Amino acid sequence: METIPGNIDPSLELIVKHQGKRYEVELDPTSTGETFKYQLYSLTGVEPDRQKILVKGGQLKDDTDLSTLKAKSGQTFMMMGTPATGENASVIERPKDKIVFVEDMTEAEAAKAEGAIPAGLQNLGNTCYLNSTLQTLRSVPELQAELAKYSAPVSGGSSNAVDLSQFGLGGFGSSMDLTASLRDLYRQMSETQEGFPPLVFLQALRTAFPQFAQRSRTGQGFAQQDAEEAWSQIVSQLRQKLKLKALGEGDLAEQPQDISFIDKYLAGHFKTVTERDDASVEDRETVEGEDVFLKLDCHINKDTNHLRDGILAGLEEKIEKTSPVLEREAIYTKKSRISRLPKYLTVHFVRFFWKREAQKKAKIMRKVTFPPELDVVEFCTDELKKRVIPVRDKVREIRKDEEDVIRARKRQKVAHKHEEDQEAQLKAQGRTEPVANNKGEQRAEGDSEMTDVTYKTDAEYEAERTASILAAKKELFALIDPELAKDDGANKSGVYELRGIVTHQGASADSGHYTSYVKKQGILDPKSGTRKEEDGKWWWFNDDKVAEVEADKIETLSGGGESHSALILLYRAIDLPTAKEVKH
């Protein structure tokens, strides 16, 4: 038999006073405040959202467990509020949106419904390298949005020619255009929850890059390929074809200029310094330059244990070239530092190397850990550090303050419960003096004065938290560097969060199996256009098989054997407040 917590009668007859009238109401201690409000609605005509019911500790909330009120039969509650009138009156209306059951949805509608499983990709014969790459790139929402606008250039110069692929007829205009094929593939994937065969895109890839049409050594079927090579070739093609419109500067401000989507969102900039190793002070050779990078390499050796170690190693390299001073070959050291951070940062674990005796790409099995949140400030130029460090440090401060508030709230709840338990114990012993009297007795014995503690309600805490978050967002927004703020494709804090992973299982690049992991996004609210809070889980794409996994699974992908180990990491800049968010 279920027991009701506390000293509560199983059925209570309460009195509720409202506008001079008394209502006898039966209260069920096992229900919630929302249920009780609907009882009063039937008696008073005051809608639940317009009711204010005063109880011990403040107002009754919808989610309040009525057993926690410890009410007694005959107890009186006070209610305030008036029924809505006129246009605001509560009227039962037909739902604005037609209710559609899953059974009645089309395949495309079901694929877009809340809780839908994203589409997998069928393995067309050693194409897992491609499937894992495509799934990870698809996690970039800006890429999907821009691809949807893409129109393939008309070949042959005929003004009457039509790109049929924009009408979903992939295989005509899109079969020869890798970017159009990717657009069509992502659209088709968004309309199903089944494993989709990427036939047209695969043909476009092999046409553009014949290396992916290489046959296996046995002559049966196609050979396995390196996912990193597929990633690099696809990104390079998108860099050439997928353009954005932007306004120029100065006299050309009104003339649109095409910029690459990849250059805006996925490309960073290096500032480099190259010096000859054996140069003396008198004949020093120093060359400064700038480079664009589409990924950071994490080089792995016997001393590499963490992603940071490998990235630092990759930012310094030895080059052999002719010295204009010595007029002979010499060794130079090239050091790179990041001068622009893209919104999306790709990191490549350099796990494969050519093993001459085996005539194949062997794999470095060493375990190299990587963080769910990556701070890259130490890899930046001094100038960029000055711009991003204030924002990064403020983010850390805000997070620490939030953690302190949560801990303080937990301590207060524990203290409050302890005090209530003490009072209940005193009553059970027949003693009626409140706990505060004990504090007074301690003061009389010479202890320091102790005042009664006023415990805040959940509503008060939530109001304070909301105000505090808004104030923190304003402070954080004010710290964003004005020049960086103009570049919406850049990272403005130097901090990234992990969003996608391509993994490899096996001992060489030419064999084994590739899969990918993509972090789940919060559910999109179609009305507001915003996403709800994420649940921290990930989608695991294993060709046409798609499964949901916990975040703990990601920690097992650091390598150390032939099991799945991370090969490519896709990081995204952490979210910062926008001008719209900080406005009242």
Side-chain angles (χ1 to χ4, degrees):
M1 178 178 178
E2 185 179 358
T3 59
I4 299 174
N7 300 320
I8 303 173
D9 297 333
S11 59
L12 302 174
E13 292 289 340
L14 303 181
I15 296 176
V16 176
K17 289 186 177 181
H18 176 247
Q19 293 185 342
K21 295 183 180 179
R22 293 164 57 93
Y23 298 92
E24 292 185 359
V25 184
E26 184 174 335
L27 181 142
D28 179 5
T30 63
S31 62
T32 63
E34 183 179 27
T35 303
F36 188 57
K37 287 183 178 181
Y38 273 101
Q39 286 180 259
L40 296 179
Y41 175 39
S42 65
L43 294 172
T44 64
V46 180
E47 293 82 352
D49 59 342
R50 297 175 61 85
Q51 296 177 17
K52 291 185 179 179
I53 304 171
L54 303 181
V55 297
K56 182 180 179 182
Q59 293 183 26
L60 181 66
K61 296 180 64 176
D62 288 350
D63 58 354
T64 298
D65 183 350
L66 295 184
S67 65
T68 62
L69 300 180
K70 299 185 178 179
K72 302 292 183 181
S73 291
Q75 188 171 340
T76 300
F77 286 175
M78 183 69 69
M79 177 183 132
M80 295 184 290
T82 56
T85 57
E87 296 180 357
N88 296 324
S90 179
V91 178
I92 298 177
E93 299 177 348
R94 183 184 300 274
K96 294 181 180 179
D97 299 325
K98 182 181 178 181
I99 298 175
V100 180
F101 296 98
V102 176
E103 294 80 2
D104 300 326
M105 290 182 178
T106 64
E107 185 178 6
E109 290 173 336
K112 293 179 173 63
E114 183 176 329
I117 297 174
L121 289 169
Q122 293 179 22
N123 192 318
L124 303 178
N126 280 336
T127 58
C128 56
Y129 72 93
L130 177 62
N131 293 345
S132 57
T133 297
L134 293 173
Q135 292 286 15
T136 307
L137 281 172
R138 189 171 178 244
S139 69
V140 180
E142 294 90 344
L143 176 58
Q144 292 197 58
E146 202 57 40
L147 280 171
K149 305 174 190 175
Y150 176 76
S151 180
V154 177
S155 60
S158 171
S159 60
N160 296 323
V162 178
D163 174 19
L164 298 178
S165 64
Q166 63 182 303
F167 302 108
L169 300 176
F172 290 86
S174 65
S175 63
M176 302 304 293
D177 187 316
L178 193 71
T179 304
S181 297
L182 186 60
R183 174 200 63 198
D184 296 342
L185 175 62
Y186 282 169
R187 177 186 57 77
Q188 291 160 335
M189 291 173 67
S190 71
E191 296 174 351
T192 183
Q193 297 183 78
E194 303 296 326
F196 189 83
L199 286 165
V200 175
F201 182 83
L202 180 61
Q203 182 58 41
L205 179 70
R206 287 172 175 167
T207 300
F209 306 103
Q211 70 191 80
F212 298 108
Q214 179 184 357
R215 309 293 294 189
S216 67
R217 293 183 179 182
T218 62
Q220 297 181 354
F222 292 92
Q224 177 69 283
Q225 299 288 340
D226 186 344
E228 187 277 326
E229 291 180 1
W231 178 288
S232 296
Q233 297 289 28
I234 293 170
V235 169
S236 68
Q237 190 77 347
L238 290 174
R239 191 182 183 200
Q240 296 176 32
K241 295 292 185 71
L242 195 59
K243 303 292 184 177
L244 305 170
K245 294 293 183 181
L247 291 178
E249 298 180 355
D251 297 335
L252 301 176
E254 299 303 321
Q255 299 181 16
Q257 294 182 340
D258 288 346
I259 62 171
S260 165
F261 172 89
I262 297 298
D263 283 341
K264 179 174 182 178
Y265 288 104
L266 279 87
H269 296 169
F270 280 140
K271 281 193 175 180
T272 63
V273 177
T274 306
E275 294 183 322
R276 199 177 83 236
D277 287 4
D278 60 354
S280 62
V281 176
E282 293 76 15
D283 64 351
R284 177 178 297 171
E285 294 180 45
T286 302
V287 179
E288 296 184 356
E290 294 186 5
D291 290 333
V292 174
F293 68 89
L294 300 179
K295 58 183 174 63
L296 291 180
D297 285 330
C298 173
H299 291 273
I300 303 174
N301 56 39
K302 62 182 179 61
D303 299 318
T304 308
N305 296 310
H306 189 268
L307 180 65
R308 172 187 175 274
D309 307 328
I311 292 178
L312 278 175
L315 295 178
E316 186 172 316
E317 60 179 319
K318 297 292 183 181
I319 301 174
E320 184 177 0
K321 64 176 184 175
T322 302
S323 166
V325 175
L326 303 177
E327 296 183 345
R328 62 172 174 80
E329 293 295 299
I331 303 297
Y332 292 77
T333 298
K334 181 180 180 181
K335 296 180 180 179
S336 303
R337 285 294 178 267
I338 301 172
S339 57
R340 182 201 185 251
L341 289 167
K343 182 172 182 179
Y344 291 89
L345 179 67
T346 304
V347 181
H348 168 223
F349 287 97
V350 186
R351 288 194 174 275
F352 299 130
F353 67 99
W354 182 252
K355 198 169 184 178
R356 185 176 301 175
E357 57 270 25
Q359 288 294 295
K360 66 177 182 180
K361 285 184 177 179
K363 182 178 179 181
I364 300 173
M365 304 290 189
R366 186 176 181 82
K367 179 178 181 180
V368 181
T369 60
F370 54 90
E373 188 171 274
L374 179 64
D375 183 345
V376 298
V377 171
E378 67 172 310
F379 311 136
C380 299
T381 61
D382 291 340
E383 181 182 357
L384 185 55
K385 284 180 181 178
K386 292 177 182 177
R387 293 182 172 185
V388 299
I389 284 178
V391 179
R392 180 200 66 179
D393 291 350
K394 188 63 180 178
V395 168
R396 290 176 174 175
E397 179 186 326
I398 291 172
R399 289 177 176 176
K400 183 179 181 301
D401 290 345
E402 288 180 348
E403 290 173 358
D404 291 343
V405 168
I406 292 172
R407 283 195 293 265
R409 178 58 174 155
K410 288 180 179 178
R411 286 196 299 268
Q412 191 219 43
K413 285 187 173 182
V414 171
H416 193 188
K417 185 177 185 305
H418 178 66
E419 186 174 303
E420 288 181 333
D421 291 344
Q422 280 186 315
E423 290 180 354
Q425 187 177 5
L426 289 173
K427 290 179 180 178
Q429 295 172 355
R431 299 166 60 186
T432 57
E433 67 269 19
V435 176
N437 287 351
N438 294 336
K439 297 176 183 176
E441 291 171 6
Q442 291 175 351
R443 187 174 66 248
E445 294 172 2
D447 291 342
S448 59
E449 181 176 352
M450 299 178 67
T451 57
D452 291 341
V453 178
T454 302
Y455 295 106
K456 296 177 182 177
T457 64
D458 289 340
E460 290 172 330
Y461 254 100
E462 191 59 34
E464 286 185 2
R465 181 175 178 273
T466 301
S468 176
I469 290 174
L470 179 59
K473 283 184 175 181
K474 289 182 177 180
E475 292 179 20
L476 186 56
F477 181 77
L479 290 173
I480 298 175
D481 182 86
E483 289 300 314
L484 290 180
K486 296 177 184 178
D487 186 356
D488 59 352
N491 183 326
K492 304 166 183 62
S493 68
V495 183
Y496 289 91
E497 60 171 328
L498 187 61
R499 302 301 303 186
I501 309 171
V502 175
T503 68
H504 177 265
Q505 179 185 34
S508 72
D510 303 328
S511 62
H513 183 57
Y514 291 92
T515 68
S516 62
Y517 293 79
V518 173
K519 193 169 188 181
K520 290 179 61 181
Q521 291 183 305
I523 297 171
L524 180 66
D525 185 341
K527 295 182 179 178
S528 66
T530 59
R531 291 190 178 275
K532 298 179 182 178
E533 188 175 350
E534 296 179 349
D535 61 11
K537 296 181 180 180
W538 291 67
W539 291 117
W540 180 28
F541 295 96
N542 184 6
D543 288 330
D544 57 340
K545 302 178 185 66
V546 183
E548 186 183 79
V549 298
E550 299 290 340
D552 294 346
K553 177 65 177 177
I554 305 303
E555 299 175 5
T556 68
L557 305 177
S558 300
E562 292 190 19
S563 61
H564 282 287
S565 55
L567 180 69
I568 298 173
L569 304 177
L570 182 63
Y571 283 96
R572 185 185 71 190
I574 61 170
D575 292 330
L576 295 176
T578 62
K580 183 178 179 181
E581 287 180 302
V582 300
K583 281 186 178 181
H584 283 292

